[in-house]
Amino acid sequence: MALKQVSSNKCFEGFQKVFEHDSAELKCKMKFGIYLPPKAETGKCPVLYWLSGLTCTEQNFITKAAFQQAAAEHGLIVVAPDTSPRGCNIEGEDESWDFGTGAGFYVDATEDPWKTNYRMYSYIKDELPKLINANFPTDPERMSIFGHSMGGHGALILALKNPGKYKSVSAFAPICNPIQCQWGKKALGGYLGPDASKWEAYDATQLVKSYSGARLDILIDQGKDDQFLSAGQLLPDNFIAACTERKVPVVFRLQQGYDHSYYFIASFINDHIKHHAKYLNA
Amino acid sequence: MDLYGSKERFDIFPEEPSGRGDRSLGDTRRESAPSSEKVQRPQEVGYDLEKEVAELAKMYGLDEDREKELELLGGRLEKVESRWPPARTEKAGLQGSLYNRSKSSSSVKDPSQSTKQQGLPDEASQGENQSKARADDEAESSTWSRGGLSSGGMSDEWNSQAVSEEEVEEEEEEEEAADVFCSTCKIPIRAFDKLFGEHKDHEVAQLPSAVESEKEEIHKNMCKLEEQIAQMENVASHLEEIFITVEENFGRQEQNFEVHYNDAVQVLAQKYEEQLEALGEEKRQKLEALYEQLVSCGKHLDTCKELTDETQELFLENDKVEFMKVKKFLKQEVNLELSTLPDFEERTIDVSEVEQLMNSINAIPAPCAPVINPQAPNAATGTSLRVCWGLFSDDTVECYQLCYQPVKHTLKVKETYCTITDLLPNTQYEFWVSALNASGISPPSERAVYVTAPSPPIIKNKKIQSCENAALVCWESRDINPVDSYTVELSKLTDEENDDIITESIVGIPNCEVLIHLQPTQKYYICVRAQNLGGSSERSEPVLIHTTGTCFYLNEDTAHPLLAILDDGFTISCDELENPECDLPVYDNSFTRCIAILGSLIPFPGRHYWEVEVEEDTEYRVGVAFENTPRHGHLGANNSSWCMRHIITPSRHKYEFLHSGMTPDIRITVPPRRIGILLDYENCRLSFFNADIAQHLHTFNSHFQHYVHPCFALETPGILRIHTGITTPPWTALP
């Protein structure tokens, strides 16, 4: 697969680049952002995958989160893909902001008309890492994943469904229990069909209950003033309870005064980068 | 000194040793041969000494031989040099007499010798006058003056041979120069003489070479003379010492006699007084007796007179009866004898005491007080002292009496030193000593204070604090009185068996604690010695410090009454919680509400790590606090403490990270059983971890203004086990 560089900006002695490629999974052109730290010029670096939330593209994170400094400091390559396939001309894809375009929910859809293109789970799990490892100075053994909101949900499920693949996982205001919240019900129902039992495979809280893989160390930051928290879309308590039950180590921080925005992400991104660096650089 | 040709020297050369011999020249300054030679060096040097030496040498009879030797030398040399005559002419005189002769460079003037000799005295005296004008030369001249120039004397001394032969008057020889040297006669002669004079059968040598060999000889003799001079100097100084000693001894004896004679005189005076008094007393008594007698005589006289008158009246009385009644009255006897003799008793003058005193003057005096030495280094141990003293006089001493206190002791010692044992450490003892001989005891010496060395201190093993890079060790003294300082010795243990090697020593520590810098992950043996004026104590029992990680101990003073520290010193427990503010005894420093305890201060910069083992059902607070954190407060409720708090609610475990009463809202899904606490002064953070799974829980970012103490509190009955000395794990580096 050929990569086409879309943009490149020097940042903290490294480079923030955007590439475009033809995705086999998603059957369309996809863009992703990649930050290459200074260390990447001379050696292989671990890779940290960021999954953005609803309505985001590859741009939001690289422009708003202000993670580059920490990434440079710890020598991490940070990859930020798009949140869904684009320009597929599927009917209804642009109807709502929380389903379809910009709302891939990191699942492999089984329902028509989505199942051809909407395979974000496989894209993130297989195609993208392969692409990145082939084209950039990466250490393929060292990978971690984190995300925000829908991306947080994606990070959690990818880690839970693939024990040992990711050295560490963390999330900002993740959708912890999609089968219980409005967003989840809409999206999972739309992509996977009405059978709720099929949804469980993409629900972090559910997945944790039966998790028995390598030990995880999960860091979750949640703004206390997050409107979606109060709207019951996120349901972190359920996840925590499940983790407590299952003795999955989680540190969940409820951050006073913070909301759902990138301002919140930017405030705590360093802690998350360090959290991942601890495991990726160990 | 220039042996070879300085003009000065030449000037001196021709003089002869005098020392003995005729002093007719009236020259009082005589120098022996050695000195004259010596004087040939820079003339200023040793002028007086030479004089002295000359005198002494004379006393010791040294001059005779030297004289002769030098005569020869002098003579020879004189012959050799031909420059003298001009120089000497002025001198005239005494150096004169011989000089003239010796100088004669011209041919033999034997025949004229005796005549010359006669003439010499005149010249000599002349010369003497003139020479006196010369400062330095005078000395030589006197030396050389052959005093007598008396013919007889001269010739004897001149038994040197050729020299005498050549003695002629100076003036006469000037114009004739010698040019060869007659080895037989050992005089320079003219070549002409060789051929035609009495030297014709003698061996001759060239003048220059003869000169050279003579010079060598002279040089040798010079050295000998120098040695002699040195010897004489020694003798002189020794004699000086003896002079002084004699003076001193005289002084002492004089004093001694004075004292004794004074005593004798006093005794005599006293006796005189006594006798006089007794005599006076006797006189008084006699006079009294006589007076009484006189009085009684007087009375008697009156009585008699009365009687006479009465008798006469009676005779005129015609009454015969009355007349017959008065018969008895004259029966009284009158004692007409003297009641007392006018002579006084014989009184002997008892001078036996004085005799005794006089006799004792001749006996040896009692000794002078000895001088006690100040304490020498290494003279003391913890229980013994070696005391030394000396006697700085020639007194006879049989033994010494050494006294000391506290608790007065007296010992008799034969030597001038004594080792006293069974003493207390770090204690001052006062010593004084007297000398004894048959005559008595000397006054005591000055008192000297000696100090025993201190006892070895005891290191407070349980109160050692350390970290990877340093240790804080404290100890206590075993002595009541303070010591001067402490010395800490540490030795690093290596794998080899030489753990007795001291690798570092820290001296001059004023207090009972020290902060030592160490290497990480090493073992050290540390011991302490106390120091005082007497020296150093033995080593204390050593302690072993392992610099693996940070070590601290629990400060019992701060423990809440309901908090108990178990035997290992690192486990705290709380049994019941009835009333945290109960009436149990409270120390000033202990917590009153929060059932808490502080660990000892962590006074070392850098990173420190320790762990606390907790139980799931125990509510606790663990963290750090400043020394001044309020004891009535709760850990974390103020700005002087930071802690992680575990609370159990019916539904779950709740964790708080408290400082200034505030905590972030944090949920932890796996309750930690072993909490790792990282205190990083350098990076201004305090982090808490689940040490079992290396999970970071929370970090306080705070620039600690002071060093902090670890702190621990229990809120429900339970146990906390504290683990120290752990190497900081790598996973604590981040976040």
Side-chain angles (χ1 to χ4, degrees):
Chain A
M1 287 163 272
L3 281 181
K4 187 175 110 182
Q5 182 169 297
V6 172
S7 68
S8 173
N9 300 86
K10 190 159 188 184
C11 186
F12 287 102
E13 298 306 308
F15 289 91
Q16 180 60 64
K17 293 174 187 268
V18 177
F19 286 89
E20 190 182 45
H21 72 108
D22 280 314
S23 166
E25 286 286 350
L26 305 173
K27 303 208 174 21
C28 65
K29 283 194 185 333
M30 285 294 281
K31 287 192 202 150
F32 62 86
I34 181 166
Y35 177 76
L36 296 159
K39 191 168 154 227
E41 283 178 41
T42 51
K44 292 190 185 295
C45 299
V47 185
L48 182 56
Y49 289 92
W50 167 266
L51 303 179
S52 292
L54 292 165
T55 75
C56 290
T57 65
E58 81 288 351
Q59 286 294 314
N60 305 69
F61 182 66
I62 65 179
T63 52
K64 291 188 182 184
F67 66 93
Q68 287 88 350
Q69 183 170 16
E73 188 183 318
H74 295 285
L76 304 178
I77 293 174
V78 183
V79 177
D82 204 341
T83 48
S84 73
R86 292 201 188 253
C88 301
N89 288 320
I90 299 167
E91 191 178 328
E93 66 181 1
D94 292 325
E95 258 176 35
S96 22
W97 59 273
D98 55 2
F99 183 76
T101 304
F105 265 87
Y106 304 101
V107 300
D108 285 340
T110 53
E111 291 287 296
D112 281 323
W114 313 102
K115 64 184 189 197
T116 314
N117 301 96
Y118 278 70
R119 294 182 60 75
M120 286 301 287
Y121 178 79
S122 295
Y123 176 68
I124 302 295
K125 172 172 170 263
D126 295 321
E127 186 180 2
L128 191 58
K130 217 178 349 188
L131 182 70
I132 300 294
N133 292 339
N135 289 282
F136 299 97
T138 64
D139 180 350
E141 300 300 307
R142 291 163 183 254
M143 261 193 331
S144 286
I145 191 161
F146 66 150
H148 166 242
S149 189
M150 176 183 78
H153 144 83
L156 288 172
I157 61 170
L158 273 148
L160 289 166
K161 283 159 81 77
N162 300 281
K165 184 179 173 84
Y166 300 99
K167 295 272 181 268
S168 50
V169 57
S170 71
F172 289 85
I175 301 169
C176 298
N177 204 192
I179 62 181
Q180 299 279 3
C181 72
Q182 245 188 325
W183 279 336
K185 287 175 187 165
K186 178 173 176 179
L188 296 177
Y191 296 126
L192 304 172
D195 186 358
S197 62
K198 297 221 173 81
W199 304 351
E200 285 172 12
Y202 294 101
D203 182 307
T205 305
Q206 286 303 112
L207 289 166
V208 154
K209 284 177 183 166
S210 54
Y211 180 77
S212 59
R215 181 153 66 207
L216 291 171
D217 185 355
I218 304 173
L219 174 66
I220 299 176
D221 270 312
Q222 174 66 58
K224 196 160 177 208
D225 286 1
D226 189 331
Q227 54 185 274
F228 300 110
L229 176 68
S230 40
Q233 296 278 25
L234 304 177
L235 304 171
D237 291 339
N238 297 354
F239 182 67
I240 288 164
C243 287
T244 306
E245 183 67 38
R246 197 75 189 146
K247 301 202 192 310
V248 172
V250 173
V251 173
F252 174 85
R253 315 194 298 188
L254 197 63
Q255 303 290 6
Q256 184 84 6
Y258 289 92
D259 58 18
H260 200 72
S261 69
Y262 267 89
Y263 296 107
F264 161 63
I265 294 170
S267 303
F268 299 99
I269 193 75
N270 283 348
D271 286 349
H272 285 250
I273 301 276
K274 284 197 265 190
H275 173 80
H276 291 289
K278 172 172 158 182
Y279 293 98
L280 289 172
N281 287 333
Chain B
M1 156 156 202
D2 178 4
L3 290 175
Y4 305 109
S6 78
K7 185 173 170 159
E8 259 181 16
R9 194 163 175 279
F10 297 160
D11 284 342
I12 304 165
F13 241 83
E15 291 158 9
E16 281 189 3
S18 62
R20 64 180 176 95
D22 196 338
R23 291 186 180 229
S24 62
L25 290 182
D27 192 313
T28 51
R29 287 182 284 179
R30 301 256 173 217
E31 292 175 10
S32 64
S35 64
S36 51
E37 282 273 347
K38 185 184 170 209
V39 172
Q40 287 156 12
R41 283 185 243 156
Q43 295 191 1
E44 322 76 63
V45 175
Y47 174 67
D48 286 334
L49 182 62
E50 288 162 21
K51 207 168 46 127
E52 252 179 62
V53 170
E55 289 172 7
L56 285 171
K58 191 157 173 260
M59 278 160 46
Y60 285 94
L62 284 182
D63 51 339
E64 310 256 339
D65 302 332
R66 296 303 295 166
E67 267 182 288
K68 291 209 179 111
E69 197 177 340
L70 283 167
E71 279 174 59
L72 298 177
L73 269 177
R76 271 187 235 147
L77 285 166
E78 289 166 288
K79 299 324 181 251
V80 169
E81 302 303 331
S82 49
R83 287 193 340 170
W84 301 339
R88 289 317 256 180
T89 348
E90 304 151 34
K91 223 172 164 184
L94 134 124
Q95 328 211 210
S97 39
L98 309 183
Y99 182 60
N100 290 342
R101 277 186 255 190
S102 41
K103 266 218 306 202
S104 64
S105 45
S106 54
S107 46
V108 184
K109 310 265 184 193
D110 310 288
S112 52
Q113 185 181 3
S114 38
T115 42
K116 294 302 184 286
Q117 286 182 354
Q118 306 304 326
L120 283 171
D122 300 326
E123 287 169 358
S125 21
Q126 256 183 329
E128 188 185 315
N129 296 335
Q130 289 178 15
S131 67
K132 274 180 182 151
R134 288 196 192 210
D136 296 314
D137 286 346
E138 283 182 12
E140 280 80 81
S141 28
S142 58
T143 313
W144 290 99
S145 73
R146 262 340 202 62
L149 309 189
S150 48
S151 24
M154 286 307 207
S155 351
D156 289 345
E157 292 166 358
W158 281 106
N159 71 27
S160 53
Q161 1 68 27
V163 174
S164 35
E165 288 177 70
E166 296 245 332
E167 289 161 37
V168 290
E169 291 189 7
E170 184 176 31
E171 297 85 67
E172 289 177 32
E173 263 86 44
E174 276 179 334
E175 52 277 15
E176 287 158 346
D179 42 2
V180 293
F181 184 72
C182 172
S183 319
T184 315
C185 305
K186 302 215 186 296
I187 48 164
I189 54 169
R190 287 181 311 164
F192 179 76
D193 292 332
K194 157 71 180 154
L195 299 171
F196 301 111
E198 60 187 40
H199 298 282
K200 60 177 177 234
D201 294 325
H202 302 166
E203 299 225 356
V204 294
Q206 285 307 311
L207 216 47
S209 55
V211 169
E212 287 304 319
S213 57
E214 278 301 324
K215 282 182 181 171
E216 271 176 41
E217 278 244 15
I218 288 164
H219 185 55
K220 268 192 265 168
N221 285 311
M222 284 297 308
C223 293
K224 276 197 227 155
L225 283 172
E226 281 171 34
E227 271 176 39
Q228 277 269 333
I229 287 166
Q231 264 181 33
M232 293 315 304
E233 283 173 15
N234 279 343
V235 166
S237 61
H238 183 61
L239 286 173
E240 270 179 47
E241 277 176 27
I242 294 178
F243 280 141
I244 293 168
T245 312
V246 166
E247 282 285 349
E248 280 178 8
N249 286 346
F250 162 77
R252 266 222 312 283
Q253 273 297 56
E254 183 189 32
Q255 264 186 351
N256 186 30
F257 280 155
E258 193 179 317
V259 165
H260 277 98
Y261 278 102
N262 279 342
D263 285 349
V265 163
Q266 261 181 31
V267 166
L268 275 174
Q270 202 184 0
K271 291 255 174 252
Y272 166 73
E273 292 288 340
E274 277 173 19
Q275 292 281 39
L276 216 57
E277 210 182 293
L279 207 61
E281 183 66 30
E282 202 182 331
K283 169 189 102 174
R284 201 174 55 74
Q285 280 174 6
K286 284 191 192 292
L287 286 178
E288 253 183 51
L290 283 171
Y291 181 72
E292 273 177 30
Q293 200 175 26
L294 190 69
V295 166
S296 74
C297 276
K299 279 196 197 148
H300 215 84
L301 193 67
D302 290 340
T303 316
C304 284
K305 275 206 182 141
E306 271 180 43
L307 217 49
T308 311
D309 289 340
E310 276 186 36
T311 310
Q312 282 185 359
E313 280 181 32
L314 207 57
F315 268 85
L316 297 177
E317 180 73 51
N318 290 322
D319 195 338
K320 302 205 178 36
V321 175
E322 294 296 324
F323 184 81
M324 296 312 290
K325 280 187 187 168
V326 283
K327 280 197 194 167
K328 293 189 184 168
F329 64 91
L330 276 178
K331 291 272 165 68
Q332 272 184 21
E333 293 280 334
V334 177
N335 186 0
L336 293 172
E337 301 223 0
L338 281 179
S339 58
T340 163
L341 295 168
D343 298 324
F344 283 88
E345 283 173 32
E346 285 263 346
R347 292 185 182 277
T348 52
I349 300 175
D350 181 9
V351 291
S352 58
E353 238 181 272
V354 180
E355 264 179 59
Q356 251 179 43
L357 281 174
M358 296 305 288
N359 287 339
S360 74
I361 291 173
N362 299 328
I364 48 168
C368 303
V371 175
I372 194 159
N373 293 354
Q375 184 170 3
N378 298 326
T381 68
T383 54
S384 72
L385 286 170
R386 188 185 146 95
V387 186
C388 302
W389 56 88
L391 193 68
F392 291 90
S393 66
D394 285 337
D395 299 331
T396 327
V397 170
E398 281 179 10
C399 67
Y400 295 94
Q401 180 173 288
L402 178 67
C403 304
Y404 66 95
Q405 64 182 26
V407 184
K408 178 113 186 277
H409 293 85
T410 304
L411 311 167
K412 283 227 171 359
V413 178
K414 281 231 165 248
E415 303 86 10
T416 55
Y417 55 86
C418 185
T419 302
I420 319 283
T421 54
D422 281 337
L423 299 174
L424 297 174
N426 196 38
T427 309
Q428 288 187 343
Y429 289 90
E430 213 176 29
F431 288 90
W432 61 97
V433 65
S434 305
L436 277 102
N437 65 12
S439 305
I441 188 167
S442 75
S445 65
E446 294 288 322
R447 296 192 176 199
V449 175
Y450 277 56
V451 181
T452 45
S455 319
I458 302 175
I459 296 181
K460 295 184 187 170
N461 216 326
K462 299 230 182 305
K463 300 273 165 92
I464 294 176
Q465 295 162 249
S466 67
C467 71
E468 280 179 353
N469 300 302
L472 188 66
V473 182
C474 56
W475 55 85
E476 56 189 3
S477 166
R478 287 232 302 263
D479 296 316
I480 304 165
N481 295 327
V483 295
D484 287 349
S485 70
Y486 295 95
T487 300
V488 167
E489 292 169 355
L490 47 127
S491 45
K492 194 192 291 193
L493 291 185
T494 55
D495 290 333
E496 298 109 53
E497 289 298 315
N498 49 358
D499 54 356
D500 261 354
I501 296 176
I502 308 273
T503 51
E504 197 180 319
S505 215
I506 304 169
V507 299
I509 300 168
N511 305 315
C512 289
E513 66 171 31
V514 70
L515 179 73
I516 314 172
H517 290 281
L518 302 169
Q519 304 278 317
T521 61
Q522 298 286 338
K523 289 189 205 168
Y524 292 89
Y525 266 118
I526 292 177
C527 59
V528 183
R529 293 181 197 259
Q531 309 276 358
N532 68 5
L533 288 171
S536 170
S537 71
E538 296 295 318
R539 272 197 234 168
S540 68
E541 285 298 316
V543 292
L544 181 63
I545 294 182
H546 214 135
T547 52
T548 46
T550 302
C551 292
F552 56 85
Y553 57 90
L554 292 177
N555 195 343
E556 300 144 347
D557 286 352
T558 60
H560 185 279
L562 291 176
L563 194 91
I565 305 178
L566 302 188
D567 284 343
D568 64 357
F570 288 102
T571 304
I572 56 175
S573 81
C574 164
D575 285 335
E576 38 151 306
L577 272 187
E578 286 202 359
N579 182 4
E581 294 178 52
C582 61
D583 292 331
L584 289 174
V586 167
Y587 300 110
D588 285 337
N589 207 14
S590 60
F591 286 94
T592 56
R593 295 200 182 123
C594 188
I595 305 174
I597 187 170
L598 290 182
S600 57
L601 188 70
I602 300 182
F604 317 108
R607 297 192 316 170
H608 305 280
Y609 178 81
W610 63 94
E611 291 177 357
V612 186
E613 215 180 305
V614 300
E615 290 166 345
E616 269 204 36
D617 54 356
T618 310
E619 290 187 346
Y620 55 80
R621 297 184 198 220
V622 294
V624 300
F626 289 137
E627 164 66 42
N628 62 358
T629 194
R631 302 294 191 265
H632 297 300
H634 287 267
L635 295 179
N638 45 53
N639 64 0
S640 56
S641 55
W642 296 254
C643 69
M644 169 178 169
R645 182 183 181 202
H646 173 231
I647 306 165
I648 301 170
T649 66
S651 54
R652 61 188 178 94
H653 293 270
K654 191 159 173 230
Y655 292 93
E656 294 180 349
F657 292 89
L658 291 162
H659 175 62
S660 301
M662 311 239 289
T663 175
D665 193 329
I666 295 186
R667 315 274 174 88
I668 296 173
T669 55
V670 176
R673 297 299 302 278
R674 204 170 165 101
I675 301 169
I677 301 172
L678 179 77
L679 171 65
D680 191 340
Y681 285 122
E682 227 173 284
N683 294 316
C684 304
R685 50 182 264 226
L686 174 71
S687 297
F688 295 86
F689 297 86
N690 180 334
D692 289 329
I693 56 176
Q695 180 188 30
H696 169 258
L697 301 174
H698 181 69
T699 296
F700 288 103
N701 287 296
S702 173
H703 176 61
F704 297 103
Q705 297 291 340
H706 312 285
Y707 291 127
V708 295
H709 299 253
C711 59
F712 312 89
L714 283 163
E715 299 191 313
T716 56
I719 286 181
L720 291 180
R721 260 179 262 271
I722 297 156
H723 298 271
T724 60
I726 305 168
T727 312
T728 307
W731 42 258
T732 57
L734 290 168

